[in-house]
Amino acid sequence: MNAANQTIYALSSGSLPAGVAVIRISGKQAMAAVESLVGSVPAPRHAVLKTIRTRNGLILDRGLVLTFAGPASFTGEDCAEIHVHGGKAVVASLLAEIATFEDCRLAEHGEFSRRALENGKMDLVEVEGLADLISAETEMQRRLAMEHAAGGLSDLYENWADRLTRARALIEAELDFADEDDVPGSVSDLVWADMERLHSELATHLSGADFGEIVRDGLRIVIAGPPNAGKSSLLNALAKREVAIVTDIAGTTRDVLHVDLNIEGYAVRLYDTAGLRETDEIVEREGIRRALKTVADADMVLSLAEIGEPAQTDFVGFTGKVFKLGTKADVHGTAPGDYDLLISSTSGAGLKELHQLIIKDLQDRSSSLSLALPSRLRHRVLLTESLGALSAAIESESLGLDIRAEQLRLSANSLGRITGRVDVEDLLDVIFSEFCIGK
Ligand SMILES: Nc1nc2c(ncn2[C@@H]2O[C@H](COP(=O)(O)OP(=O)(O)OP(=O)(O)O)[C@@H](O)[C@H]2O)c(=O)[nH]1
Ligand SMILES: [K+]
Ligand SMILES: [Mg+2]
């Protein structure tokens, strides 16, 4: 029997020991496995407390058994869930027993979701949303993932793809009747007017990709500045733990360090870097090279300088926002200087304001309240392709209608590849490798 027809099983709940462990089984043998384990198959969707035994009658545990008859299940196949006590030996013995059933094997990463996709229970964006939901650590990541998992984005793309397909059909009809007089030119005008509206909707949507990616992957904030400005001290103060080494020796930090923060529901990755100065010291120079590279990839730079010293405003390769922070306000008070904010990592002064500044920046980046946004490079690439083909269709008035119709087809195709409606076999291994086993 080939791998896709086999029945798969896995521990779907988290690490052991735990109060409860959930073992999920999906495939043709799911019901037979349940019958062997608990003596009968409970009615679908009814939780029943059962004694679970090996085929030799040895009691493994007592637990809840739930069945879902395909296609009304997560994977679209016959599925079962067995909830047992979350002990390592309990789970190991149950998995070992299931392994002995014919055509049953341990699931691979994301294989339950992959079957759901293949059986049309979910599309690719929904599957990605589910993966993101499982790995979401902040409220905004959860909301974005939920939007994708619940099909909000998929509906949008399907709807746009349908509009493109209808437009193409109308244009092709016009082609077929080109020699006749009974297709009014106004149909064509209406079609192109709608395509222009679609173009602007797509472009607006694509412009939300920056924010979508920031919500999903976290805002990258880099702390930069001269040695002893207090960069590592700020990282530690914001992380509320001693992550970085702090000393009064200039050039303490060499490697790039980072901590992940949750700032009002947004994921933020904060980087500490080596102090910037001219130096011949080999290790320090490498540290500075890495610091500048990290700055170039940042979404935001906090440029630190001890109050009284000028804060650097330009960084090679970085075009985003630079906030100038005057440090050590506890010793310098409010001495004048050109800073966006004065802080003290020692006293905590200004740190609340720094949070607000970051939140304000995040809010400025989101053009709408909706989180129905592209959030992966894959989405961005295909949306750009779709928009490009649509532009070509609209702009190439001098070319034949057949060429313009073909561009509309390509535009719809790119959208179809986002949801997986159009051939995506080549993408699946990459997408599912991100998943945990049991999902
Ligand atoms: N009084 C006071 N001292 C501070 C403050 N922040 C940092 N310092 C001191 O300044 C010195 C340098 O701090 P660091 O955090 O190591 O500075 P840095 O910018 O990371 O330095 P390098 O890693 O060498 O580039 C240490 O002695 C800190 O204790 C502050 O807010 N107030
Ligand atoms: K230092
Ligand atoms: Mg440091």
Side-chain angles (χ1 to χ4, degrees), residues 166-180:
R166 270 202 312 277
R168 182 162 65 92
L170 287 168
I171 284 166
E172 282 175 348
E174 188 160 2
L175 266 177
D176 289 344
F177 297 106
D179 298 334
E180 300 166 25

Side-chain angles (χ1 to χ4, degrees), residues 227-228 246-253:
N228 276 351
V246 168
T247 74
D248 59 3
I249 301 165
T252 301
T253 305

Side-chain angles (χ1 to χ4, degrees), residues 221-366:
I221 304 180
V222 177
I223 307 173
N228 276 351
K231 301 180 296 299
S232 302
S233 302
L234 177 60
L235 182 89
N236 290 348
L238 293 175
K240 299 194 175 84
R241 57 196 169 93
E242 301 299 309
V243 181
I245 299 172
V246 168
T247 74
D248 59 3
I249 301 165
T252 301
T253 305
R254 303 295 175 88
D255 291 312
V256 177
L257 297 176
H258 68 81
V259 292
D260 289 324
L261 305 177
N262 179 341
I263 298 187
E264 294 198 22
Y266 286 97
V268 169
R269 181 161 280 193
L270 184 68
Y271 294 85
D272 178 26
T273 58
L276 304 172
R277 65 171 168 184
E278 293 294 329
T279 173
D280 290 330
E281 213 271 301
I282 294 174
V283 182
E284 192 177 2
R285 270 171 67 155
E286 176 59 17
I288 292 168
R289 190 190 67 78
R290 293 182 186 202
L292 292 173
K293 184 172 177 297
T294 310
V295 166
D297 292 336
D299 297 310
M300 179 198 290
V301 171
L302 302 179
S303 176
L304 271 55
E306 194 162 336
I307 294 171
E309 301 292 325
Q312 187 172 338
T313 49
D314 290 316
F315 294 87
V316 176
F318 179 73
T319 51
K321 272 247 181 68
V322 175
F323 291 104
K324 293 170 285 178
L325 306 189
T327 62
K328 311 188 191 180
D330 54 302
V331 282
H332 298 292
T334 50
D338 179 20
Y339 308 109
D340 294 299
L341 192 64
L342 301 181
I343 60 160
S344 165
S345 301
T346 308
S347 73
L351 297 188
K352 210 192 281 166
E353 289 78 3
L354 180 55
H355 265 192
Q356 281 158 3
L357 192 136
I358 295 168
I359 288 298
K360 168 86 170 48
D361 177 78
L362 278 163
Q363 286 164 349
D364 289 348
R365 288 167 191 264
S366 61

Side-chain angles (χ1 to χ4, degrees), residues 14 30 41 98 317 333 362 372 403 411 426 428:
V41 179
I98 299 171
L362 278 163
I403 292 173
S411 179
D426 50 329
L428 296 184

